[in-house]
Amino acid sequence: MAALTWKEYWHEKPVIRKFASIVGVALSVFQIYTALFGSFDALMQRSIHLGLGLLLVFLVYNVKGDERGRKSWFDAIPFIAVFFVIGYILWNYNWITVERY
């Protein structure tokens, strides 16, 4: 059995798995960056960490909890919801942390 090259391995993956790999790498890079150079404010740090983690979970598993099942449009609802909620927190971060109080 011959080993796959990087290009062969990457091209065999479905688009959702490719995006999940990118989100996983982004989460890892974010954690390494904050470990080396210090963390952000607590709300921003936790929002980014939770957002990337939830995006990764919703990309890998479908609503039924099956990793190998086919994805449907219904599986995109939690992904889109997390994307918009975390985006709202990061977009309105100054208002949430400073102006509200």
Side-chain angles (χ1 to χ4, degrees):
M1 183 171 170
L4 292 174
T5 65
W6 175 253
K7 287 183 180 180
E8 292 171 343
Y9 174 74
W10 186 254
H11 287 298
E12 288 181 4
K13 289 182 148 214
V15 174
I16 292 177
R17 295 292 179 168
K18 290 178 186 178
F19 192 62
S21 299
I22 292 169
V23 171
V25 168
L27 179 60
S28 300
V29 168
F30 174 73
Q31 295 302 326
I32 292 170
Y33 176 82
T34 57
L36 292 175
F37 300 110
S39 62
F40 300 123
D41 187 48
L43 179 65
M44 185 174 288
Q45 176 83 18
R46 293 172 185 159
S47 297
I48 294 171
H49 176 81
L50 180 66
L52 289 173
L54 285 175
L55 290 177
L56 187 60
V57 167
F58 291 135
L59 282 171
V60 172
Y61 294 100
N62 61 12
V63 174
K64 295 178 184 176
D66 184 16
E67 185 176 352
R68 298 179 190 166
R70 300 190 100 202
K71 299 278 186 193
S72 68
W73 66 271
F74 191 67
D75 294 322
I77 293 172
F79 177 82
I80 293 169
V82 167
F83 187 77
F84 280 114
V85 168
I86 300 302
Y88 175 82
I89 291 172
L90 295 178
W91 186 265
N92 296 313
Y93 180 76
N94 192 34
W95 178 80
I96 292 170
T97 58
V98 177
E99 295 176 20
R100 247 179 80 198
Y101 297 108

